[in-house]
Amino acid sequence: MPLSLLDQGVPNDLRYFFYFLTFCSPLNTAPVPKWALIAVAVAVAVLLLLFLVCVVKCCCSKKKPKKKEKVNLLSVSSSTTAGLVQPEMEDLEPSPEDKKRGKLQYSLEYSLRAQEMKVGVKQAADLKAMDSGGTSDPYVIVYLTSDMKKKYETKVYRKTLNPIFNESFTFQVPQAEVPESTLVMQVYDFNRFAKHDIIGEVRLPLASVNLQRAIEQWSDLAAASKVEQEQLGEVCFSLRYVPSTGKLTVVVVEAKKLKRMDSHGLSDPFVKVHLILNRKKWKKRKTSVKKNTLSPYFNEVFVFEVPFNQIQNVDLVISVWDHDKMTKNEQIGKLFLGCRATGNQLRHWSDMLSNPRRPIAQWHSLQAVDVVDKALGLKTHLRLPLHTR
Protein backbone atom coordinates (compact mmCIF):
# COMPACT_ATOMS: atom_id res chain seq x y z
CA MET A 1 0.00 0.00 0.00
CA PRO A 2 1.43 3.38 -0.92
CA LEU A 3 2.55 5.52 2.03
CA SER A 4 0.58 8.45 0.70
CA LEU A 5 -2.66 6.53 1.31
CA LEU A 6 -1.64 5.66 4.83
CA ASP A 7 -0.87 9.28 5.59
CA GLN A 8 -4.31 10.52 4.66
CA GLY A 9 -6.63 10.80 7.67
CA VAL A 10 -5.01 8.01 9.68
CA PRO A 11 -4.02 8.49 13.35
CA ASN A 12 -0.33 8.33 14.20
CA ASP A 13 -0.75 5.08 16.20
CA LEU A 14 -2.30 3.33 13.25
CA ARG A 15 0.28 4.82 10.87
CA TYR A 16 3.14 3.45 12.97
CA PHE A 17 1.37 0.11 13.14
CA PHE A 18 1.16 -0.08 9.33
CA TYR A 19 4.77 0.98 9.00
CA PHE A 20 5.76 -1.84 11.29
CA LEU A 21 3.76 -4.40 9.32
CA THR A 22 5.10 -3.17 6.03
CA PHE A 23 8.77 -2.67 6.75
CA CYS A 24 9.77 -4.10 10.12
CA SER A 25 7.61 -7.18 10.66
CA PRO A 26 9.22 -10.56 10.17
CA LEU A 27 6.16 -11.49 8.13
CA ASN A 28 7.39 -9.14 5.46
CA THR A 29 10.23 -11.51 4.66
CA ALA A 30 7.98 -14.58 4.54
CA PRO A 31 6.85 -15.87 1.20
CA VAL A 32 3.36 -14.46 1.64
CA PRO A 33 1.58 -12.46 -1.02
CA LYS A 34 1.29 -8.77 -0.43
CA TRP A 35 -2.51 -8.80 -0.76
CA ALA A 36 -2.76 -11.23 2.14
CA LEU A 37 -0.69 -8.97 4.34
CA ILE A 38 -2.79 -6.02 3.36
CA ALA A 39 -6.03 -7.91 4.18
CA VAL A 40 -4.70 -8.87 7.61
CA ALA A 41 -3.62 -5.32 8.29
CA VAL A 42 -7.04 -3.95 7.33
CA ALA A 43 -8.84 -6.47 9.57
CA VAL A 44 -6.60 -5.62 12.52
CA ALA A 45 -7.10 -1.94 11.89
CA VAL A 46 -10.90 -2.34 11.89
CA LEU A 47 -10.83 -4.26 15.18
CA LEU A 48 -8.52 -1.74 16.77
CA LEU A 49 -10.71 1.12 15.59
CA LEU A 50 -13.81 -0.48 17.08
CA PHE A 51 -11.97 -0.99 20.38
CA LEU A 52 -10.93 2.67 20.47
CA VAL A 53 -14.48 3.83 19.72
CA CYS A 54 -15.82 1.77 22.65
CA VAL A 55 -13.19 3.13 25.03
CA VAL A 56 -13.86 6.72 24.03
CA LYS A 57 -17.61 6.29 24.39
CA CYS A 58 -17.35 4.78 27.86
CA CYS A 59 -14.82 7.19 29.29
CA CYS A 60 -15.61 10.48 27.67
CA SER A 61 -19.36 10.52 27.56
CA LYS A 62 -21.02 12.04 30.69
CA LYS A 63 -23.60 9.96 32.50
CA LYS A 64 -26.91 11.73 32.62
CA PRO A 65 -28.29 11.95 36.14
CA LYS A 66 -31.59 10.21 36.71
CA LYS A 67 -34.51 12.34 37.63
CA LYS A 68 -35.73 11.77 41.14
CA GLU A 69 -38.61 9.40 40.98
CA LYS A 70 -41.80 10.92 42.22
CA VAL A 71 -45.01 9.14 43.16
CA ASN A 72 -48.19 10.96 42.42
CA LEU A 73 -51.04 9.44 44.35
CA LEU A 74 -53.44 11.29 42.12
CA SER A 75 -52.29 9.21 39.19
CA VAL A 76 -53.31 6.05 41.01
CA SER A 77 -56.91 5.04 41.11
CA SER A 78 -58.63 6.24 44.25
CA SER A 79 -59.84 2.76 45.24
CA THR A 80 -56.33 1.33 45.06
CA THR A 81 -54.83 4.22 47.01
CA ALA A 82 -57.41 3.94 49.75
CA GLY A 83 -56.77 0.25 50.05
CA LEU A 84 -53.03 0.84 50.47
CA VAL A 85 -53.01 3.68 52.97
CA GLN A 86 -56.10 3.15 55.12
CA PRO A 87 -58.38 0.36 56.37
CA GLU A 88 -61.78 -0.31 54.96
CA MET A 89 -64.36 2.19 56.08
CA GLU A 90 -66.64 -0.52 57.46
CA ASP A 91 -63.86 -1.38 59.93
CA LEU A 92 -63.87 2.16 61.27
CA GLU A 93 -67.54 2.91 61.63
CA PRO A 94 -70.79 0.98 61.41
CA SER A 95 -72.32 0.58 58.01
CA PRO A 96 -75.49 2.52 57.16
CA GLU A 97 -77.50 -0.67 57.50
CA ASP A 98 -76.37 -1.05 61.12
CA LYS A 99 -77.70 2.45 61.83
CA LYS A 100 -81.14 1.64 60.49
CA ARG A 101 -82.19 -1.30 62.65
CA GLY A 102 -84.82 0.78 64.41
CA LYS A 103 -85.57 1.43 68.08
CA LEU A 104 -87.55 -0.16 70.89
CA GLN A 105 -89.62 1.35 73.69
CA TYR A 106 -89.83 -0.61 76.95
CA SER A 107 -90.51 -0.20 80.67
CA LEU A 108 -88.88 -1.72 83.72
CA GLU A 109 -90.11 -2.02 87.30
CA TYR A 110 -88.66 -4.01 90.19
CA SER A 111 -90.57 -5.00 93.32
CA LEU A 112 -88.26 -5.43 96.29
CA ARG A 113 -91.00 -6.98 98.39
CA ALA A 114 -91.96 -9.60 95.81
CA GLN A 115 -88.39 -10.02 94.51
CA GLU A 116 -89.68 -9.82 90.95
CA MET A 117 -89.05 -7.72 87.87
CA LYS A 118 -91.76 -6.60 85.47
CA VAL A 119 -90.64 -5.86 81.91
CA GLY A 120 -93.00 -4.09 79.52
CA VAL A 121 -92.42 -4.25 75.76
CA LYS A 122 -94.26 -1.19 74.46
CA GLN A 123 -93.54 -0.66 70.76
CA ALA A 124 -90.90 -0.49 68.05
CA ALA A 125 -90.31 2.13 65.37
CA ASP A 126 -88.47 2.43 62.06
CA LEU A 127 -87.50 -1.23 62.02
CA LYS A 128 -85.23 -2.53 59.30
CA ALA A 129 -87.18 -4.11 56.42
CA MET A 130 -86.32 -7.80 56.20
CA ASP A 131 -88.83 -8.96 53.57
CA SER A 132 -88.67 -8.38 49.84
CA GLY A 133 -91.82 -6.27 50.01
CA GLY A 134 -90.08 -3.66 52.18
CA THR A 135 -91.69 -4.71 55.48
CA SER A 136 -91.14 -7.18 58.32
CA ASP A 137 -93.16 -9.46 60.59
CA PRO A 138 -91.64 -8.46 63.95
CA TYR A 139 -91.88 -9.99 67.40
CA VAL A 140 -89.72 -9.66 70.55
CA ILE A 141 -87.97 -12.26 72.74
CA VAL A 142 -87.22 -11.17 76.33
CA TYR A 143 -84.94 -12.91 78.85
CA LEU A 144 -82.40 -12.37 81.62
CA THR A 145 -78.86 -13.67 81.28
CA SER A 146 -79.06 -15.04 84.83
CA ASP A 147 -81.85 -17.43 83.75
CA MET A 148 -81.67 -18.03 80.01
CA LYS A 149 -83.93 -21.06 80.30
CA LYS A 150 -86.90 -18.76 80.91
CA LYS A 151 -87.71 -16.70 77.81
CA TYR A 152 -90.86 -14.81 76.83
CA GLU A 153 -92.13 -13.90 73.36
CA THR A 154 -94.58 -11.25 72.19
CA LYS A 155 -97.14 -11.77 69.47
CA VAL A 156 -96.09 -11.51 65.82
CA TYR A 157 -97.28 -8.41 63.93
CA ARG A 158 -97.59 -8.81 60.17
CA LYS A 159 -96.17 -6.49 57.53
CA THR A 160 -95.17 -3.53 59.66
CA LEU A 161 -92.06 -1.62 60.65
CA ASN A 162 -93.79 0.16 63.55
CA PRO A 163 -95.48 -2.53 65.67
CA ILE A 164 -97.27 -1.74 68.94
CA PHE A 165 -96.88 -4.66 71.37
CA ASN A 166 -98.03 -3.45 74.81
CA GLU A 167 -97.15 -6.72 76.53
CA SER A 168 -95.53 -7.27 79.93
CA PHE A 169 -93.57 -10.16 81.46
CA THR A 170 -92.57 -10.96 85.04
CA PHE A 171 -89.27 -12.49 86.19
CA GLN A 172 -88.48 -13.82 89.64
CA VAL A 173 -85.10 -12.27 90.51
CA PRO A 174 -83.63 -12.22 94.02
CA GLN A 175 -82.23 -8.82 94.89
CA ALA A 176 -78.70 -10.22 95.29
CA GLU A 177 -78.69 -11.44 91.68
CA VAL A 178 -79.99 -8.27 90.07
CA PRO A 179 -76.60 -6.51 89.65
CA GLU A 180 -75.12 -9.59 87.97
CA SER A 181 -77.85 -9.92 85.35
CA THR A 182 -78.54 -8.28 81.99
CA LEU A 183 -81.96 -7.77 80.42
CA VAL A 184 -81.98 -8.78 76.75
CA MET A 185 -84.75 -7.83 74.30
CA GLN A 186 -84.28 -9.20 70.79
CA VAL A 187 -86.48 -8.17 67.84
CA TYR A 188 -86.97 -10.90 65.23
CA ASP A 189 -88.59 -11.09 61.80
CA PHE A 190 -90.94 -14.06 61.60
CA ASN A 191 -90.60 -16.46 58.65
CA ARG A 192 -93.05 -19.28 58.21
CA PHE A 193 -90.85 -21.58 56.11
CA ALA A 194 -87.34 -20.48 57.08
CA LYS A 195 -85.21 -19.51 60.06
CA HIS A 196 -86.34 -16.34 61.78
CA ASP A 197 -83.98 -13.42 61.17
CA ILE A 198 -82.92 -11.19 64.03
CA ILE A 199 -83.34 -7.47 63.33
CA GLY A 200 -81.49 -6.20 66.40
CA GLU A 201 -81.41 -6.23 70.17
CA VAL A 202 -81.25 -4.09 73.30
CA ARG A 203 -79.01 -5.19 76.19
CA LEU A 204 -79.51 -3.46 79.51
CA PRO A 205 -77.09 -4.36 82.36
CA LEU A 206 -79.24 -4.10 85.48
CA ALA A 207 -76.29 -2.93 87.55
CA SER A 208 -76.41 0.35 85.61
CA VAL A 209 -80.14 0.93 86.21
CA ASN A 210 -81.72 2.68 89.18
CA LEU A 211 -84.46 0.21 90.08
CA GLN A 212 -85.81 2.26 92.96
CA ARG A 213 -88.32 3.74 90.54
CA ALA A 214 -90.05 2.55 87.39
CA ILE A 215 -88.49 3.60 84.10
CA GLU A 216 -89.81 3.87 80.55
CA GLN A 217 -87.51 4.74 77.63
CA TRP A 218 -86.50 4.25 74.01
CA SER A 219 -83.27 2.50 72.96
CA ASP A 220 -81.73 2.02 69.54
CA LEU A 221 -81.44 -1.55 68.35
CA ALA A 222 -77.88 -2.81 68.02
CA ALA A 223 -76.48 -5.72 66.05
CA ALA A 224 -77.10 -9.01 67.82
CA SER A 225 -74.26 -10.29 69.96
CA LYS A 226 -72.80 -13.73 69.58
CA VAL A 227 -74.52 -16.50 71.48
CA GLU A 228 -73.50 -16.02 75.08
CA GLN A 229 -72.27 -18.80 77.29
CA GLU A 230 -74.87 -19.65 79.90
CA GLN A 231 -73.74 -19.08 83.47
CA LEU A 232 -74.23 -22.40 85.26
CA GLY A 233 -72.67 -21.52 88.62
CA GLU A 234 -69.54 -22.24 90.63
CA VAL A 235 -68.46 -24.97 93.03
CA CYS A 236 -65.74 -25.00 95.68
CA PHE A 237 -63.96 -28.16 96.82
CA SER A 238 -60.60 -29.21 98.22
CA LEU A 239 -58.27 -32.05 97.21
CA ARG A 240 -55.69 -33.94 99.27
CA TYR A 241 -53.61 -36.92 98.17
CA VAL A 242 -51.24 -39.04 100.28
CA PRO A 243 -48.95 -41.13 98.02
CA SER A 244 -47.81 -43.49 100.79
CA THR A 245 -51.34 -44.64 101.62
CA GLY A 246 -52.91 -44.02 98.21
CA LYS A 247 -55.79 -42.02 99.71
CA LEU A 248 -57.48 -39.24 97.72
CA THR A 249 -59.67 -36.99 99.88
CA VAL A 250 -62.29 -34.76 98.23
CA VAL A 251 -64.17 -32.22 100.35
CA VAL A 252 -67.18 -30.65 98.60
CA VAL A 253 -67.47 -27.32 100.41
CA GLU A 254 -70.17 -25.21 98.72
CA ALA A 255 -71.62 -23.85 95.47
CA LYS A 256 -72.98 -20.47 94.41
CA LYS A 257 -74.83 -18.71 91.59
CA LEU A 258 -76.28 -21.99 90.36
CA LYS A 259 -78.63 -22.00 87.40
CA ARG A 260 -82.31 -21.94 88.36
CA MET A 261 -83.90 -25.24 87.39
CA ASP A 262 -87.32 -25.15 89.08
CA SER A 263 -90.37 -23.13 88.09
CA HIS A 264 -90.24 -21.08 91.30
CA GLY A 265 -86.76 -19.83 90.41
CA LEU A 266 -84.67 -22.04 92.68
CA SER A 267 -83.11 -25.52 92.64
CA ASP A 268 -82.58 -28.53 94.89
CA PRO A 269 -78.88 -29.12 94.25
CA PHE A 270 -76.57 -31.98 95.17
CA VAL A 271 -73.09 -32.93 93.98
CA LYS A 272 -71.78 -36.18 92.49
CA VAL A 273 -68.09 -37.10 92.65
CA HIS A 274 -66.88 -39.64 90.07
CA LEU A 275 -63.51 -41.28 89.59
CA ILE A 276 -62.70 -42.42 86.05
CA LEU A 277 -59.80 -44.78 85.44
CA ASN A 278 -58.42 -45.17 81.90
CA ARG A 279 -61.59 -43.53 80.52
CA LYS A 280 -63.88 -46.01 82.26
CA LYS A 281 -66.22 -45.20 85.16
CA TRP A 282 -64.67 -46.50 88.36
CA LYS A 283 -65.99 -45.07 91.66
CA LYS A 284 -68.65 -42.57 92.67
CA ARG A 285 -70.09 -40.77 95.69
CA LYS A 286 -72.69 -38.01 96.16
CA THR A 287 -73.64 -35.36 98.69
CA SER A 288 -76.96 -34.77 100.36
CA VAL A 289 -79.66 -32.68 98.66
CA LYS A 290 -80.06 -29.02 99.68
CA LYS A 291 -83.60 -27.74 99.17
CA ASN A 292 -84.65 -24.49 97.52
CA THR A 293 -81.31 -22.77 97.14
CA LEU A 294 -78.87 -21.59 94.51
CA SER A 295 -76.01 -21.28 97.00
CA PRO A 296 -75.87 -24.59 98.90
CA TYR A 297 -73.36 -25.35 101.65
CA PHE A 298 -72.28 -29.02 101.88
CA ASN A 299 -68.89 -29.45 103.62
CA GLU A 300 -68.99 -33.22 103.00
CA VAL A 301 -65.89 -35.44 102.84
CA PHE A 302 -65.23 -38.38 100.51
CA VAL A 303 -62.17 -40.62 100.62
CA PHE A 304 -61.09 -42.80 97.68
CA GLU A 305 -58.31 -45.38 97.53
CA VAL A 306 -56.17 -44.60 94.47
CA PRO A 307 -52.77 -46.36 94.31
CA PHE A 308 -49.87 -44.10 93.40
CA ASN A 309 -49.22 -46.03 90.18
CA GLN A 310 -52.77 -45.19 89.01
CA ILE A 311 -53.05 -41.53 90.00
CA GLN A 312 -51.76 -40.36 86.60
CA ASN A 313 -54.55 -42.30 84.84
CA VAL A 314 -57.41 -41.01 86.99
CA ASP A 315 -59.93 -38.26 86.12
CA LEU A 316 -61.95 -36.66 88.91
CA VAL A 317 -65.40 -35.53 87.73
CA ILE A 318 -67.46 -33.07 89.79
CA SER A 319 -71.07 -32.63 88.66
CA VAL A 320 -73.89 -30.55 90.20
CA TRP A 321 -77.45 -31.84 89.87
CA ASP A 322 -80.97 -30.61 90.54
CA HIS A 323 -83.04 -33.16 92.47
CA ASP A 324 -86.62 -33.82 91.39
CA LYS A 325 -88.99 -36.18 93.21
CA MET A 326 -91.44 -36.70 90.38
CA THR A 327 -89.14 -36.56 87.37
CA LYS A 328 -85.56 -37.43 86.45
CA ASN A 329 -82.77 -35.48 88.12
CA GLU A 330 -81.19 -32.87 85.83
CA GLN A 331 -77.54 -31.96 85.56
CA ILE A 332 -76.80 -28.27 86.05
CA GLY A 333 -73.15 -28.47 85.02
CA LYS A 334 -69.91 -30.35 85.56
CA LEU A 335 -66.11 -30.24 85.26
CA PHE A 336 -63.21 -32.65 85.52
CA LEU A 337 -59.67 -32.62 86.89
CA GLY A 338 -56.67 -34.77 86.10
CA CYS A 339 -53.63 -34.92 83.87
CA ARG A 340 -55.89 -34.60 80.80
CA ALA A 341 -57.58 -31.44 82.10
CA THR A 342 -56.70 -27.87 81.14
CA GLY A 343 -56.70 -24.41 82.70
CA ASN A 344 -57.68 -24.03 86.36
CA GLN A 345 -58.65 -27.69 86.61
CA LEU A 346 -55.20 -28.88 85.57
CA ARG A 347 -53.56 -26.31 87.87
CA HIS A 348 -55.62 -27.48 90.87
CA TRP A 349 -54.72 -31.12 90.17
CA SER A 350 -51.02 -30.27 89.78
CA ASP A 351 -51.03 -28.29 93.03
CA MET A 352 -52.50 -31.31 94.81
CA LEU A 353 -49.79 -33.65 93.46
CA SER A 354 -46.97 -31.24 94.24
CA ASN A 355 -48.22 -30.71 97.83
CA PRO A 356 -48.82 -34.22 99.23
CA ARG A 357 -50.78 -34.53 102.50
CA ARG A 358 -51.91 -30.90 102.21
CA PRO A 359 -55.54 -30.00 101.29
CA ILE A 360 -55.80 -27.58 98.34
CA ALA A 361 -59.15 -25.71 97.98
CA GLN A 362 -60.30 -23.78 94.93
CA TRP A 363 -63.41 -22.41 93.21
CA HIS A 364 -64.29 -23.68 89.71
CA SER A 365 -66.89 -22.56 87.15
CA LEU A 366 -69.28 -25.25 85.99
CA GLN A 367 -69.20 -26.12 82.30
CA ALA A 368 -71.80 -27.47 79.89
CA VAL A 369 -72.41 -31.19 80.32
CA ASP A 370 -71.94 -32.10 76.64
CA VAL A 371 -68.64 -30.19 76.45
CA VAL A 372 -67.18 -32.06 79.43
CA ASP A 373 -68.46 -35.45 78.27
CA LYS A 374 -66.87 -34.91 74.87
CA ALA A 375 -63.54 -33.99 76.45
CA LEU A 376 -63.64 -37.06 78.69
CA GLY A 377 -64.39 -39.42 75.80
CA LEU A 378 -65.82 -42.08 78.07
CA LYS A 379 -65.99 -45.67 76.87
CA THR A 380 -69.65 -46.07 77.68
CA HIS A 381 -69.95 -49.48 76.03
CA LEU A 382 -67.59 -50.98 78.63
CA ARG A 383 -69.04 -51.01 82.14
CA LEU A 384 -67.18 -51.82 85.32
CA PRO A 385 -68.73 -52.47 88.71
CA LEU A 386 -68.78 -49.34 90.82
CA HIS A 387 -67.03 -49.56 94.18
CA THR A 388 -68.04 -47.34 97.04
CA ARG A 389 -66.73 -47.04 100.50
Side-chain angles (χ1 to χ4, degrees):
M1 179 180 294
L3 293 179
S4 60
L5 294 176
L6 290 175
D7 292 338
Q8 295 178 4
V10 178
N12 292 331
D13 294 339
L14 288 179
R15 185 183 302 115
Y16 297 148
F17 178 75
F18 283 118
Y19 288 162
F20 174 79
L21 288 179
T22 305
F23 301 107
C24 304
S25 174
L27 293 177
N28 192 40
T29 62
V32 179
K34 277 189 176 182
W35 63 267
L37 293 175
I38 295 173
V40 172
V42 171
V44 172
V46 171
L47 292 175
L48 186 58
L49 184 61
L50 292 175
F51 175 75
L52 293 174
V53 170
C54 291
V55 172
V56 172
K57 185 174 181 181
C58 293
C59 297
C60 299
S61 60
K62 292 184 179 180
K63 189 175 181 180
K64 294 182 179 180
K66 286 187 176 180
K67 293 183 179 180
K68 189 175 181 180
E69 187 175 359
K70 295 182 179 180
V71 178
N72 184 5
L73 292 179
L74 296 178
S75 63
V76 187
S77 63
S78 59
S79 60
T80 305
T81 306
L84 292 174
V85 301
Q86 65 184 34
E88 297 293 336
M89 292 303 297
E90 52 263 29
D91 295 337
L92 300 178
E93 59 183 18
S95 64
E97 292 185 357
D98 288 337
K99 298 178 181 179
K100 297 180 180 179
R101 296 181 181 274
K103 54 186 179 179
L104 182 69
Q105 186 187 32
Y106 56 91
S107 63
L108 192 62
E109 183 178 0
Y110 183 74
S111 172
L112 186 60
R113 181 179 59 84
Q115 299 282 290
E116 65 181 23
M117 180 173 297
K118 187 176 181 180
V119 179
V121 180
K122 301 298 184 180
Q123 60 181 319
D126 303 324
L127 293 180
K128 179 180 178 181
M130 305 296 288
D131 300 337
S132 57
T135 61
S136 296
D137 301 321
Y139 69 97
V140 182
I141 293 179
V142 184
Y143 65 91
L144 295 174
T145 55
S146 58
D147 187 13
M148 294 176 58
K149 188 176 180 181
K150 190 172 186 179
K151 296 184 178 182
Y152 293 104
E153 293 184 12
T154 68
K155 296 179 181 178
V156 178
Y157 288 80
R158 302 286 183 179
K159 299 185 182 303
T160 178
L161 300 179
N162 300 281
I164 298 177
F165 300 104
N166 282 333
E167 298 185 42
S168 61
F169 310 101
T170 302
F171 297 89
Q172 296 292 330
V173 189
Q175 183 182 5
E177 297 181 14
V178 170
E180 301 173 357
S181 187
T182 297
L183 173 65
V184 182
M185 294 168 284
Q186 297 177 323
V187 183
Y188 279 84
D189 172 48
F190 176 83
N191 289 308
R192 185 176 298 276
F193 302 108
K195 182 180 179 180
H196 300 181
D197 298 318
I198 186 167
I199 300 175
E201 69 178 14
V202 173
R203 287 180 175 263
L204 186 65
L206 298 183
S208 63
V209 180
N210 182 8
L211 296 176
Q212 295 181 356
R213 58 183 180 83
I215 63 171
E216 182 174 317
Q217 62 188 20
W218 286 90
S219 291
D220 292 328
L221 294 175
S225 305
K226 295 181 178 179
V227 178
E228 56 212 341
Q229 183 177 359
E230 190 173 9
Q231 299 299 315
L232 302 175
E234 301 176 47
V235 60
C236 178
F237 54 90
S238 72
L239 302 177
R240 178 175 180 261
Y241 183 67
V242 182
S244 58
T245 61
K247 291 188 181 298
L248 173 64
T249 303
V250 181
V251 181
V252 180
V253 182
E254 60 179 317
K256 64 181 180 181
K257 302 178 183 179
L258 295 179
K259 177 183 176 182
R260 290 188 285 269
M261 304 295 288
D262 299 336
S263 58
H264 54 74
L266 296 173
S267 296
D268 301 320
F270 66 96
V271 178
K272 284 185 180 181
V273 181
H274 280 84
L275 284 186
I276 295 175
L277 178 62
N278 295 323
R279 302 193 180 189
K280 302 173 188 176
K281 292 181 180 180
W282 188 26
K283 303 177 181 181
K284 72 175 180 180
R285 303 286 294 277
K286 66 178 180 179
T287 68
S288 57
V289 177
K290 304 299 179 180
K291 297 288 187 179
N292 298 327
T293 179
L294 299 178
S295 300
Y297 182 78
F298 300 100
N299 199 27
E300 299 187 31
V301 182
F302 307 105
V303 180
F304 301 92
E305 290 185 359
V306 183
F308 182 70
N309 60 356
Q310 292 181 332
I311 193 67
Q312 298 292 337
N313 301 320
V314 166
D315 294 312
L316 173 66
V317 181
I318 306 292
S319 56
V320 182
W321 295 68
D322 174 48
H323 175 75
D324 287 308
K325 290 184 178 180
M326 306 302 296
T327 60
K328 186 178 179 180
N329 296 337
E330 295 182 90
Q331 288 195 69
I332 299 175
K334 66 196 308 182
L335 59 100
F336 81 95
L337 296 88
C339 295
R340 296 193 295 139
T342 59
N344 290 331
Q345 289 79 20
L346 177 60
R347 188 177 299 108
H348 193 178
W349 188 259
S350 300
D351 289 344
M352 176 198 73
L353 295 178
S354 59
N355 296 275
R357 302 178 180 84
R358 175 184 166 190
I360 306 295
Q362 187 172 323
W363 281 95
H364 293 273
S365 297
L366 294 173
Q367 302 172 7
V369 175
D370 55 344
V371 173
V372 177
D373 288 345
K374 184 178 180 180
L376 286 170
L378 296 180
K379 300 178 181 178
T380 55
H381 61 286
L382 295 175
R383 301 188 62 184
L384 295 179
L386 300 174
H387 304 285
T388 57
R389 285 176 56 87

